Amino acid sequence: MTASDDRGGDGREGFDRPRGNQAPRGPRVIPEDEPAAVPPRPMPQAERQAAPPGGPRVILDEKAGPAPRLDFQWEQAVVPVAAPRPSVRWSGIGRAIGGLTLLGGGLAALDAANFVVDQFGRGAVQGWATLGVVAGGVALLGSGLWREVRGLASIRAVDRARAAFARGDLAAAKAETLRWAASVQEAAPLQPAIRGAASIAELGALLQPALAQLEARAATLGRNAAVQSFAVTAISPSPGLDALVFAWRGVRLVRQVAALHGLRPGLAGTLALLRRTLQDAAMVAATDVAVDAAARALLSNRLLEQFAGEAAAGAVAARRMLRLARVAAEACRVLPPG
Amino acid sequence: MSGLADPFGLLRDAAYGAERLGRSLIGQDRIRLAVTGLTRAGKTVFLTSLLANLLAAGRGQRTLPALERAAGGRLRAVRPVPAGIEGLPRFDVAAHLAALAADPPAWPARTEDLSTLELTLELDRQSMLAGLLGTRSVTLELLDYPGEWLLDLPMLNQDFPGWSAATLARLRRPGHAAAMGAFLGFVDSLPPGVAAEDSLVQRGFALYRDALRGCRDRLGFRFLQPGRVLNPGPRGETPLLWFFPLPPGARGGLAGLMAERHRAYVEAQRREFFEPYFRRFERQAVLVDVLGALHAGQAAFDDTAEALAAIAEALRYGGGWLDWLTGVGVDRVAFVATKADHVPARQRDALSSLLGHLVAAPQRRATGAGVTTSVHALAAVRCTEDDVATLDGRPVAAVRGVLLSSGRSAKVYPGEIPLRPPEPGFWDHGFFEMPEFQPPRLDREGGAGVPHLGLDALLAALIGDVL
């Protein structure tokens, strides 16, 4: 049932629409059970003629005292319905990669198992040694994968916290921010206050100082990265190397900022974070283009252009690094920005 | 309100149009929704319900299913824009909701001043680049104001003699006689060329003000000018308001003073109210209490239609070459019959149809300017449920609610709602004042919005295309 569905008596049977002269035509109040006690509402003005019987009416229908207010069970009617999860469909490439992974992983596991059995056939010492090597390798592989999954999950936790703030779900927002506060040094002392927060707005206000502190530290990291990339751009011999250094420094900066916010992204987590950061960065790319165009228009003098070209490129790289620090910090905030 | 005579206005229009275009390009649309309605049409309740339900929808509640469908399920969040340095009061949706939910409940009092609020709707993008570009936002600007002031809009293009002649002609109609007798007797007895004696002016103004109040409160008329005489606003009555219409041919000191005050008043209204808030808007909801007009008699019904036509005539819907050049114009207009819960479900179509006839002139004007229009029946806060009453031994469809005055449950048979402006015989049943109902049980915090009828369809028609 949707919120605007009629829960009234539409569709009831057994009554007619009033017709012709027999039908009551104007509005009225009709005292049904105690006619003398319930006069119709006074007409607006004495000079108006009284409504003839048959007009609109109000019918008081309970002898008893005040009636409770109507209750449409609105809160139940509008409860959010979970959107159906989009079904996951395997694309052709997905199936091919899955097949390759299965072949590679499965055959390798089978090979390893067979090899261990063979080694035991050669002798107990060789067998145990081989088993130890295989087990160690698998354990390292598993722990690496586990760290990746945890890194990704920590980024999902940011999404969950933001969603809780957006919905106004205090309990969920508290739980998520408590988990976050436990992992961030600046926010650790806030935990008792977070537990006592009475509203979403209050919770947001409590987190603001710690978040501002984190943002200041992210800005410092950004400045350091900016100085480094400026210096490298100024001395590097080729633009290709510039781009490489910028990319490497950018990824490192995003990971540093994430670590500030209590996230320990692995490779997959870093990629997810970079994707999210780049969403914001793409928005500002248009601004960069405009700024570059304006700079070129101003520096149309050839000599000036030569002179300013290199330094300008370095300055643009540095500015981008500062902006990257800011958008990375925004991407990691547990509280939705703005 | 526009044209080559006002080059600075045109420049401002052009800047506004450019800003709109720029915002639209970067996915941060801004829409001014003008909620226009005559006094007691239910603007404040409408805005309260609209805001409460939109904010609840932003929290994931399914309060506005039709709007949700129009948005393709991409609405992520709705939040009020934090207060900045606005010089206007902020529309206090929380206070209005608390009053509606209180025990005993209270409907909002007559609006005495302007107030504004802006909401930001955050939406996922629909384009291929959605993942890259992040969410987009639509900011909705809303304004609440006393409905009486809107009737000053047609005055902007009239001089004092023209306004006097039109106003007196209207007030001399038979329907107004009961309230207007004393004032008309006064102005008709004034000798031509009478001096601007202060006590005379005061007496004339007091008679005019009382006559206008009588017309509004007792007779249900709406086309009453100037609006600030009926609702002076927070500053109260100032000498600027002390003028009244004079018969044609009036001259001398009194006529001069009246004309001077009329000009100054119109200028002040233009500067303080219409230019900032009604010169530019993109969407408009025209609220009409059709049922109230119908029950107040033929004269009041015709008067409402005339008032709506006059307002629409004075508003600027775009479509001209200057509007095209500056990129300013209205995109969508919805005409809304409010208090639709006062009639049973099967009569609501008739209510819409009747409204369609009532606003035929404004709708024609808007459509002529290339604006998309629609007609709706709406209850911003649903206070009744459908029921059956027995009248003269015959079952009829009625509504049931709890009366505000006594707290007792009552059925209301609202009479037969005609599909088109009724024949003269219809009015024989006399006048009826619809009782006020208590609002239903509400969450004081408004966390789940407010029960309504048709608000979602209205919003989908008004802003669905930008979501």
Side-chain angles (χ1 to χ4, degrees):
Chain A
M1 176 180 280
T2 62
S4 65
D5 278 348
D6 241 332
R7 286 175 290 281
D10 191 26
R12 288 164 202 258
E13 293 178 0
F15 64 88
D16 305 328
R17 280 172 83 90
R19 285 185 299 272
N21 292 333
Q22 302 165 334
R25 299 182 69 185
R28 267 196 300 175
V29 181
I30 309 167
E32 199 174 49
D33 41 10
E34 38 181 344
V38 191
R41 283 178 68 85
M43 290 298 113
Q45 191 188 1
E47 59 267 29
R48 293 176 164 185
Q49 66 185 84
R57 311 167 197 201
V58 178
I59 307 157
L60 292 178
D61 48 14
E62 260 110 48
K63 238 178 214 163
R69 289 165 74 167
L70 291 184
D71 189 349
F72 296 116
Q73 301 291 319
W74 181 255
E75 287 83 357
Q76 284 76 36
V78 299
V79 163
V81 179
R85 274 181 168 279
S87 57
V88 179
R89 292 177 62 186
W90 283 73
S91 64
I93 291 185
R95 282 165 202 256
I97 292 175
L100 280 176
T101 311
L102 187 63
L103 281 174
L107 290 182
L110 285 171
D111 257 2
N114 286 336
F115 185 54
V116 170
V117 171
D118 283 353
Q119 289 292 78
F120 269 109
R122 287 181 189 163
V125 177
Q126 286 94 329
W128 282 111
T130 313
L131 186 61
V133 168
V134 170
V138 170
L140 281 176
L141 197 64
S143 79
L145 284 176
W146 177 241
R147 281 193 64 172
E148 288 295 316
V149 169
R150 281 194 58 187
L152 261 181
S154 68
I155 292 172
R156 295 272 181 279
V158 171
D159 288 338
R160 280 200 303 277
R162 287 185 182 199
F165 274 103
R167 295 197 296 277
D169 183 349
L170 182 61
K174 266 189 189 179
E176 293 297 338
T177 44
L178 276 173
R179 198 170 305 146
W180 169 79
S183 64
V184 177
Q185 197 187 347
E186 283 79 357
L190 289 176
Q191 291 181 60
I194 292 174
R195 278 190 204 97
S199 69
I200 283 285
E202 198 180 312
L203 187 57
L206 284 172
L207 297 179
Q208 281 301 352
L211 287 170
Q213 216 176 335
L214 290 178
E215 260 155 44
R217 290 184 57 189
T220 312
L221 286 173
R223 276 196 295 278
N224 291 344
V227 169
Q228 287 170 11
S229 51
F230 180 81
V232 170
T233 315
I235 59 169
S236 85
S238 83
L241 190 62
D242 284 6
L244 208 62
V245 169
F246 183 83
W248 168 77
R249 196 61 192 88
V251 171
R252 199 165 151 237
L253 175 63
V254 169
R255 286 176 64 95
Q256 283 175 324
V257 172
L260 264 187
H261 283 259
L263 310 175
R264 301 278 182 273
L267 179 65
T270 306
L271 285 177
L273 203 54
L274 274 176
R275 187 176 147 269
R276 185 191 287 229
T277 305
L278 288 177
Q279 283 181 6
D280 290 339
M283 292 294 283
V284 293
T287 327
D288 274 354
V289 172
V291 170
D292 275 3
R296 278 177 205 290
L298 283 174
L299 301 173
S300 55
N301 181 305
R302 281 202 163 276
L303 186 65
L304 265 180
E305 205 172 55
Q306 285 289 331
F307 184 72
E310 293 308 309
V316 167
R319 198 178 64 234
R320 282 185 184 153
M321 206 54 94
L322 289 174
R323 202 169 289 150
L324 190 63
R326 189 167 54 75
V327 288
E330 271 182 16
C332 298
R333 276 170 67 104
V334 279
L335 191 64
Chain B
M1 290 179 70
S2 70
L4 294 169
D6 181 11
F8 290 112
L10 276 179
L11 278 178
R12 281 195 295 272
D13 284 351
Y16 182 77
E19 186 196 335
R20 267 188 75 192
L21 182 68
R23 282 181 166 279
S24 165
L25 283 176
I26 59 168
Q28 293 187 353
D29 290 278
R30 191 177 190 87
I31 289 182
R32 182 173 284 180
L33 172 59
V35 179
T36 53
L38 306 179
T39 175
R40 307 311 283 169
K43 288 184 296 300
T44 307
V45 176
F46 172 78
L47 285 174
T48 304
S49 171
L50 184 150
L51 291 165
N53 283 313
L54 266 178
L55 288 168
R59 287 189 288 267
Q61 309 275 352
R62 302 193 64 239
T63 52
L64 300 165
L67 185 73
E68 208 175 291
R69 278 195 297 279
R74 283 176 287 108
L75 184 64
R76 285 291 151 262
V78 179
R79 47 176 170 265
V81 175
I85 52 165
E86 299 87 0
L88 283 182
R90 211 165 147 77
F91 185 80
D92 197 348
V93 61
H96 288 310
L97 268 178
L100 287 172
D103 198 16
W107 290 100
R110 194 180 282 283
T111 304
E112 301 282 349
D113 197 7
L114 297 167
S115 57
T116 60
L117 192 70
E118 292 180 10
L119 282 187
T120 300
L121 283 67
E122 203 172 286
L123 299 136
D124 284 340
R125 283 175 195 266
Q126 209 171 7
S127 71
M128 299 275 287
L129 299 175
L132 199 66
L133 297 176
T135 56
R136 55 186 280 266
S137 69
V138 175
T139 303
L140 205 57
E141 287 180 49
L142 300 160
L143 173 76
D144 192 22
Y145 58 92
E148 290 92 343
W149 296 3
L150 200 61
L151 263 312
D152 289 346
L153 202 50
M155 288 173 73
L156 299 188
N157 298 322
Q158 288 174 314
D159 59 1
F160 181 68
W163 174 74
S164 282
T167 306
L168 284 177
R170 206 166 46 246
L171 300 181
R172 283 187 205 282
R173 288 177 194 159
H176 294 73
M180 274 291 159
F183 171 71
L184 291 176
F186 170 79
V187 285
D188 289 340
S189 68
L190 285 175
V194 67
E197 167 55 39
D198 203 37
S199 64
L200 195 69
V201 175
Q202 293 281 1
R203 192 150 64 88
F205 173 71
L207 283 171
Y208 187 56
R209 182 188 55 206
D210 294 346
L212 290 185
R213 283 182 184 161
C215 282
R216 180 189 65 182
D217 299 336
R218 291 186 289 133
L219 303 180
F221 287 108
R222 296 289 177 259
F223 200 165
L224 304 168
Q225 298 168 324
R228 279 192 189 258
V229 168
L230 287 167
N231 196 334
R235 273 181 299 182
E237 249 174 36
T238 55
L240 188 68
L241 302 178
W242 294 343
F243 66 94
F244 46 86
L246 292 175
R251 56 189 187 282
L254 181 66
L257 181 64
M258 295 297 101
E260 192 182 338
R261 283 184 179 158
H262 170 271
R263 187 192 48 71
Y265 174 83
V266 167
E267 201 41 53
Q269 281 293 76
R270 186 201 302 277
R271 196 178 53 246
E272 293 167 13
F273 183 45
F274 294 116
E275 274 294 318
Y277 306 112
F278 283 96
R279 183 182 171 93
R280 290 174 281 267
F281 56 90
E282 290 80 44
R283 311 289 153 123
Q284 185 189 19
V286 182
L287 308 188
V288 187
D289 181 7
V290 181
L291 214 53
L294 192 69
H295 290 157
Q298 186 170 12
F301 189 80
D302 295 342
D303 174 80
T304 300
E306 197 182 343
L308 289 168
I311 291 168
E313 196 55 42
L315 279 177
R316 185 174 161 217
Y317 284 110
W321 65 272
L322 276 176
D323 304 310
W324 180 81
L325 209 63
T326 53
V328 173
V330 181
D331 301 317
R332 292 188 175 206
V333 176
F335 298 95
V336 187
T338 52
K339 306 176 188 176
D341 59 335
H342 289 187
V343 299
R346 57 176 50 211
Q347 292 223 51
R348 280 177 210 139
D349 287 343
L351 198 64
S352 303
S353 169
L354 181 62
L355 173 67
H357 283 92
L358 194 69
V359 298
Q363 194 170 14
R364 235 187 343 264
R365 182 169 141 62
T367 313
V371 179
T372 308
T373 62
S374 54
V375 179
H376 304 259
L378 165 136
V381 178
R382 183 183 179 187
C383 306
T384 67
E385 53 191 359
D386 284 14
D387 208 330
V388 181
T390 307
L391 290 182
D392 305 335
R394 176 184 283 279
V396 289
V399 292
R400 168 198 288 276
V402 179
L403 297 182
L404 187 69
S405 53
S406 62
R408 297 182 61 183
S409 175
K411 291 178 192 173
V412 171
Y413 169 62
E416 190 67 0
I417 308 298
L419 288 162
R420 56 182 63 82
E423 303 292 320
F426 174 88
W427 308 104
D428 292 346
H429 68 66
F431 301 90
F432 176 75
E433 194 175 295
M434 183 59 83
E436 275 192 300
F437 291 108
Q438 283 190 3
R441 195 184 60 73
L442 296 173
D443 172 14
R444 192 178 285 261
E445 304 294 324
V450 174
H452 62 83
L453 287 175
L455 182 65
D456 52 339
L458 170 69
L459 284 176
L462 273 176
I463 59 169
D465 61 317
V466 287
L467 299 184

